[in-house]
Amino acid sequence: MKNWIVSALFLFFALAGYAQAEQPQTRKKVGVVLSGGGAKGVAHIGALKVLERAGIPVDIVTGTSMGSIIGGLYSIGYNAELMDSIVRDIDWSTVLSDKENLQYQRMSERKKQNTYVYSRAIMFKGSNVEDGGLITGKNLGELFENLTAGYNDSINFNHLPIPFACVATNIVDNTEYVFHKGYLPHAMRASMAIPMVFSPVRLGDMVLVDGGLRNNYPVDIAREMGAEIIIGVTVQEIERKTADDLSNTSDVLLQLIDVNCYNKYEDNLAMTDLAIRVDTKGYNAASFSKAAIDTLISRGENKAMEHWDDLMALKRKIGISNDYKPTILQPLNLNSNTEEMTIQSLEFQNMTANDERFLRAKFHLKEGGTISPEQAKLVETSMRVDLFYKTASSRIIQTEGGCKVVFKADQKKNSQLSIGGRFDTEEIVAMQLNADFPIRASVPADIDITARLGRRMMGRIDLALHPRSFTRPSLSYIIRYNDINIFQGGEKDYNVTYNQHTVNLSLLNFYRRNFDVSFSAQWDYYHFRDLLINREQTGGDEMLENDHYISYRADVNYISEDTWYFPTRGARFIGNFTYHTDDFTKMKDDTGLMDVSAMWRKSWTSGRFTFQPTFYGRLLFGDHVPYALRNIIGGQWFGHYVTQQMPFAGVGHVEFTDHHFVGVQLQGQYRMGGSHYLLLRLAGAQHAPKFSELMDHKTMLGGSVSYYYNTMLGPMGATLGYSNKTHELNLYINLGLEF
């Protein structure tokens, strides 16, 4: 009996030991901590690539500022390779601004956005203007909304695929606030709200800005969440700046932020098991160019690879074998941007009943209908542009058999103010201001006021209605003061100054995404003031006569180009037919003047090179062509000095040409680096007094070479050109957006 008991005990312990040997060994929890640093934080992606390659499991992620963005996305399944593609594809110049997405705007709004260097929604609370930053962060918020689709409800961040936390700073009492739950896009947005640059995020009685001011490298938060092993990636300056390094306003502002980012840094660094300290010398928080992103990701990857042996040793400390490979997460399987879903319910938050009816009618929104994410973006744009809401968002929540769609609006804007400035060698300095005011009515409307200051001055007021269809009737009054030098064969011939008054009534004005079509009636009055002239050359006093014209216009615009100034794909077409009269039906008791003009441009790209042919022209049919309506060529842009102006490579100043003009321009555009462009233009044209004589006259030829640097303030560069019309080299320098 005793032997039986001993044998049983022996067998029990043997089996228990065998079972214990077969059970997986419990490993330690690994926390990854990602520091703040603005653009420098994209280096985290390179480091995460190496962690995945090394087979390091990640159980907890914490981050601050850019670290909160990379960490937040990683926690919901965006692996390092996927994030690498995302940050390279993002148009950071748009995301880091409050510009609307050009893809969803009508032509007038697209032009406005590419005219003004800075726009600001003005909102009043009592007597104070709200926001608190140069950039409200609208586009950043929308980006985070899109990337975190599927996790847009208020949630506990511990329940994400990888538990996550991020840090913000409450500037009300200068305390650290840690997001463990809430609305993930808002948490990420608050954590990177650089003071004075981005507007803070308001949460209850807190005003939250960049978490780097209190805890830029939150190892302590990861420890509190249960991390036993810490792998940290930091992009803070290894060598701190000296007095000689602080040479401009930008350096001083960034230094104020950097010095605060050292709060708790040394203590948190001491709690790190493996610190990957990436050298980001030569780059700063605003280095979002494609070349900078490529270099920073590579530096992060290279620095992490230097710690490869340390990572292998760390795996043993974690309690896993060298060949252990964790499952690489993937984000939720999201719907494509164009996939339509059946609408089961619609919800309009913070909007008036009139605004809801407007959107339902304009976009045919109804229960039982269909909608796609792309269509929802169109609705958001209309909420901001037509209904004047400061921000607008949409959420498509999948339900059984369809979806629930929620459109949410913020406070309405009191006005939208915009400012633009430029310098060129023709006009020297110019400035343009714009203010857009909404009119509260059952049919949305707005008044748009524009003032241009410079050698050419202009004042304009537009009243536009936004009915529930894709039409936009408008009434405009424009007064221009022009001071223009007219050249002949490259030599200055005379100078003319005049006032032009214009009233335009457009009752049929509609658009469909890239198309904009309008039919209007227009009255113009020209009052000539001063004329310094060679009378024998130009015909004498006829040019001094003040006159008025009544015109009927049909305009067609199409644009699918990806950018306004340096497109690499897409096409643009501008077509106009105008019938000019001086008494509603005739011109000088004869048939009215028929004016036909068109421009078509197409871009083909291979690598960094874009080939862009342009065909254009203007034909005038009638026995009487007034001085003010004659064909004018020269300069860089269509309609820059006068409405009918057509550019021609090698002709730097404006010159009159014959009544029938047809031209072609072949442009080669080469992108050097991220924002540097080299342009080569070759142009040819035929012109004649009569259409039938176009091919009888000498061909006009010209060419130019340009270098431009595309900045957030607009293109900055120079053009050197020559033509057989001017017979001399012409240098043109431009700094800023065109208006």
Side-chain angles (χ1 to χ4, degrees):
M1 182 70 175
K2 186 175 181 181
N3 291 337
W4 180 87
I5 293 174
V6 171
S7 298
L9 288 173
F10 177 81
L11 179 63
F12 172 79
F13 284 115
L15 289 173
Y18 175 79
Q20 185 176 7
E22 287 295 298
Q23 290 176 352
Q25 190 176 23
T26 302
R27 65 171 179 82
K28 295 180 179 179
K29 283 188 176 182
V30 179
V32 169
V33 180
L34 307 175
S35 77
K40 297 183 293 184
V42 299
H44 297 323
I45 296 172
L48 288 171
K49 286 183 183 181
V50 176
L51 297 188
E52 291 175 357
R53 196 178 304 148
I56 301 294
V58 179
D59 304 296
I60 293 167
V61 179
T62 65
T64 298
S65 196
M66 182 59 85
S68 76
I69 298 170
I70 303 298
L73 294 178
Y74 200 75
S75 72
I76 60 174
Y78 285 87
N79 59 62
E81 288 294 339
L82 187 54
M83 282 194 287
D84 182 294
S85 298
I86 289 172
V87 298
R88 293 178 192 274
D89 289 341
I90 289 173
D91 180 1
W92 289 102
S93 64
T94 297
V95 168
L96 298 174
S97 72
D98 292 325
K99 291 182 178 180
E100 294 287 349
N101 187 334
L102 293 178
Q103 188 178 8
Y104 302 111
Q105 288 183 273
R106 60 182 299 117
M107 300 302 170
S108 59
E109 296 296 331
R110 297 187 195 192
K111 181 173 177 59
K112 180 184 289 189
Q113 180 169 287
N114 287 281
T115 297
Y116 301 102
V117 69
Y118 182 70
S119 294
R120 181 71 170 185
I122 300 299
M123 307 177 65
F124 296 96
K125 183 178 181 180
S127 60
N128 297 320
V129 180
E130 290 193 329
D131 283 337
L134 291 174
I135 303 169
T136 63
K138 173 184 73 68
N139 290 331
L140 269 176
E142 288 184 3
L143 175 66
F144 297 159
E145 293 263 0
N146 293 336
L147 292 175
T148 60
Y151 297 96
N152 290 149
D153 292 322
S154 183
I155 54 177
N156 186 329
F157 297 168
N158 289 317
H159 297 161
L160 295 174
I162 300 176
F164 169 70
C166 63
V167 180
T169 301
N170 179 16
I171 57 174
V172 172
D173 56 7
N174 195 31
T175 57
E176 176 181 330
Y177 181 79
V178 182
F179 281 97
H180 287 290
K181 61 181 180 179
Y183 189 43
L184 183 58
H186 282 184
M188 295 160 63
R189 167 70 179 81
S191 183
M192 54 71 57
I194 299 173
M196 302 301 295
V197 178
F198 293 101
S199 297
V201 172
R202 298 174 185 271
L203 183 64
D205 58 357
M206 295 186 294
V207 180
L208 302 175
V209 299
D210 197 311
L213 299 179
R214 296 300 305 168
N215 192 352
N216 198 47
Y217 179 56
V219 174
D220 52 335
I221 305 302
R223 290 287 188 193
E224 291 171 5
M225 293 172 66
E228 299 166 277
I229 300 291
I230 297 291
I231 301 174
V233 186
T234 173
V235 295
Q236 288 188 227
E237 296 287 345
I238 296 175
E239 296 181 5
R240 301 195 186 188
K241 291 185 175 67
T242 66
D244 293 336
D245 297 323
L246 306 178
S247 58
N248 56 54
T249 303
S250 176
D251 290 338
V252 172
L253 176 61
L254 293 174
Q255 177 69 358
L256 287 172
I257 297 170
D258 285 344
V259 294
N260 279 281
C261 288
Y262 285 97
N263 286 325
K264 304 171 71 172
Y265 177 67
E266 297 297 338
D267 291 339
N268 280 329
L269 197 60
M271 289 191 286
T272 305
D273 294 275
L274 175 59
I276 301 172
R277 305 180 66 182
V278 183
D279 182 5
T280 59
K281 187 174 182 180
Y283 298 94
N284 58 44
S287 298
F288 282 101
S289 69
K290 292 183 182 297
I293 288 172
D294 181 69
T295 300
L296 288 165
I297 292 176
S298 295
R299 286 191 186 183
E301 185 173 3
N302 293 337
K303 178 55 68 173
M305 284 300 297
E306 292 178 12
H307 291 277
W308 184 263
D309 292 341
D310 299 326
L311 290 170
M312 293 299 102
L314 202 60
K315 291 181 77 170
R316 294 189 290 274
K317 186 176 179 181
I318 293 169
I320 54 179
S321 62
N322 280 358
D323 59 356
Y324 176 85
K325 294 290 183 182
T327 301
I328 302 298
L329 295 176
Q330 296 289 331
L332 293 177
N333 184 22
L334 306 176
N335 293 304
S336 71
N337 202 39
T338 57
E339 182 181 349
E340 291 192 344
M341 291 169 278
T342 301
I343 301 173
Q344 288 195 323
S345 64
L346 283 163
E347 185 177 336
F348 298 84
Q349 297 180 357
N350 302 333
M351 280 185 269
T352 65
N354 278 338
D355 290 348
E356 179 180 339
R357 285 194 293 270
F358 171 84
L359 293 174
R360 282 180 176 270
K362 182 171 182 177
F363 295 98
H364 309 291
L365 298 171
K366 60 181 180 180
E367 287 77 0
T370 60
I371 194 170
S372 69
E374 182 180 44
Q375 292 164 342
K377 291 299 178 186
L378 286 173
V379 179
E380 291 180 24
T381 302
S382 181
M383 290 165 65
R384 289 188 293 267
V385 175
D386 295 328
L387 301 178
F388 250 73
Y389 286 105
K390 176 189 170 187
T391 61
S393 62
S394 62
R395 292 168 60 199
I396 299 178
I397 304 168
Q398 289 188 342
T399 59
E400 187 175 347
C403 66
K404 174 184 178 181
V405 186
V406 180
F407 294 106
K408 183 178 180 181
D410 200 344
Q411 182 182 355
K412 284 203 173 187
K413 297 177 282 189
N414 296 91
S415 68
Q416 179 86 17
L417 300 181
S418 305
I419 183 170
R422 58 175 286 104
F423 167 88
D424 64 40
T425 48
E426 178 74 16
E427 195 176 9
I428 309 303
V429 177
M431 178 180 292
Q432 188 158 298
L433 308 172
N434 175 266
D436 201 356
F437 301 92
I439 298 174
R440 314 299 186 195
S442 57
V443 176
D446 69 276
I447 294 177
D448 193 276
I449 300 174
T450 305
R452 188 186 197 282
L453 305 175
R455 187 172 175 180
R456 296 178 295 114
M457 292 189 286
M458 181 267 290
R460 176 171 184 151
I461 182 167
D462 297 90
L463 170 63
L465 302 179
H466 306 256
R468 296 171 188 173
S469 62
F470 281 84
T471 62
R472 194 185 186 192
S474 63
L475 176 65
S476 305
Y477 169 71
I478 310 166
I479 179 171
R480 296 181 177 92
Y481 170 79
N482 273 359
D483 181 348
I484 299 179
N485 293 322
I486 305 295
F487 283 69
Q488 178 69 32
E491 298 294 331
K492 181 178 176 181
D493 196 26
Y494 61 92
N495 172 271
V496 60
T497 61
Y498 64 94
N499 291 336
Q500 178 185 352
H501 300 264
T502 301
V503 177
N504 181 282
L505 174 62
S506 176
L507 295 178
L508 294 175
N509 187 342
F510 57 91
Y511 69 100
R512 292 283 184 178
R513 188 160 178 179
N514 291 328
F515 277 100
D516 201 338
V517 181
S518 67
F519 299 91
S520 61
Q522 184 167 300
W523 173 81
D524 290 280
Y525 176 72
Y526 293 86
H527 172 66
F528 293 96
R529 299 165 60 91
D530 298 305
L531 197 63
L532 301 176
I533 184 170
N534 181 336
R535 295 183 184 279
E536 293 181 1
Q537 184 76 18
T538 57
D541 291 340
E542 178 186 0
M543 294 169 50
L544 291 171
E545 293 179 0
N546 302 328
D547 214 341
H548 71 275
Y549 308 103
I550 300 162
S551 308
Y552 309 98
R553 299 173 55 93
D555 293 274
V556 178
N557 289 283
Y558 170 81
I559 179 171
S560 61
E561 294 176 332
D562 54 344
T563 65
W564 196 261
Y565 289 98
F566 303 102
T568 58
R569 62 179 183 272
R572 176 180 293 202
F573 174 80
I574 301 172
N576 168 264
F577 173 81
T578 304
Y579 186 74
H580 301 280
T581 75
D582 57 12
D583 67 353
F584 293 99
T585 59
K586 298 180 180 180
M587 177 75 75
K588 297 187 182 298
D589 296 323
D590 206 339
T591 304
L593 175 67
M594 288 190 293
D595 176 348
V596 181
S597 63
M599 184 278 282
W600 178 82
R601 182 170 73 193
K602 175 69 176 175
S603 299
W604 286 277
T605 297
S606 176
R608 292 177 174 269
F609 181 78
T610 300
F611 175 64
Q612 189 180 84
T614 303
F615 301 90
Y616 62 102
R618 184 169 183 252
L619 308 176
L620 301 175
F621 299 95
D623 293 332
H624 303 282
V625 180
Y627 171 79
L629 301 179
R630 290 172 59 186
N631 275 337
I632 290 180
I633 62 169
Q636 304 291 309
W637 297 285
F638 287 90
H640 183 64
Y641 299 108
V642 292
T643 304
Q644 69 268 33
Q645 178 185 348
M646 295 172 286
F648 191 83
V651 179
H653 305 286
V654 294
E655 303 202 7
F656 282 111
T657 188
D658 290 317
H659 299 335
H660 295 82
F661 179 93
V662 178
V664 60
Q665 176 179 278
L666 303 178
Q667 175 172 290
Q669 173 182 290
Y670 183 74
R671 179 171 61 85
M672 303 177 293
S675 301
H676 301 266
Y677 293 88
L678 186 65
L679 309 176
L680 177 64
R681 299 186 182 106
L682 299 175
Q686 294 296 136
H687 56 104
K690 296 181 180 180
F691 183 76
S692 60
E693 301 172 354
L694 264 178
M695 303 309 296
D696 298 336
H697 287 244
K698 180 181 177 181
T699 300
M700 187 189 305
L701 297 173
S704 66
V705 59
S706 308
Y707 162 77
Y708 277 97
Y709 177 51
N710 193 23
T711 74
M712 296 186 71
L713 299 177
M716 299 186 179
T719 297
L720 183 65
Y722 179 86
S723 76
N724 64 355
K725 180 176 178 62
T726 60
H727 298 287
E728 65 178 17
L729 288 173
N730 175 266
L731 176 65
Y732 178 80
I733 297 173
N734 173 83
L735 307 174
L737 300 172
E738 186 267 333
F739 54 79

